[in-house]
Amino acid sequence: FDPRHYLCTRCYGFPKTGPHRLRFLLESVKDLRETLKKKGSTLVVRKGKPEDVVRDLITQLGSVSAVVFHEEVREIL
C-alpha cells in the first residue's frame, strides 16, 4: 500500500480513498491472501513507497527474475 494514495490526496475536493473504499481494499486483499493460502501460496503485503518496498523485497529474496507492476492512470487537465 502506497501511503501517497491515502494521505492528503484530494481529487475534486473529495478524499481519493475514503473509509468505505479502504475497507473494501483491505477485505479484498485479505480474501486474496486466504485464497492463495488454500492453494499453497501466499501474498506479500507491504506499506511504503513502491520504489522502496520492491527494491527491498528483491534484495531480501535474492533471486528475482521478473517484476510486474501497473501504473495508475493520471488525469490530463
Side-chain angles (χ1 to χ4, degrees):
F1 291 94
D2 186 342
R4 296 173 290 194
H5 290 190
Y6 307 97
L7 302 174
C8 301
T9 301
R10 300 275 177 187
C11 185
Y12 303 109
F14 296 100
K16 186 173 180 183
T17 302
H20 299 293
R21 182 175 181 196
L22 181 58
R23 183 177 318 142
F24 172 77
L25 289 170
L26 293 173
E27 289 173 357
S28 298
V29 168
K30 181 181 176 183
D31 183 64
L32 176 59
R33 176 180 270 161
E34 290 171 0
T35 300
L36 290 170
K37 195 172 186 178
K38 290 176 187 174
K39 296 182 180 287
S41 190
T42 190
L43 178 66
V44 176
V45 179
R46 297 287 186 266
K47 175 183 155 194
K49 295 180 182 178
E51 56 270 25
D52 298 331
V53 171
V54 172
R55 181 192 63 233
D56 293 345
L57 280 173
I58 290 170
T59 301
Q60 180 184 353
L61 296 172
S63 176
V64 176
S65 59
V67 176
V68 179
F69 67 95
H70 79 278
E71 184 174 353
E72 182 177 354
V73 177
R74 301 197 186 271
E75 227 179 298
I76 299 174
L77 299 177

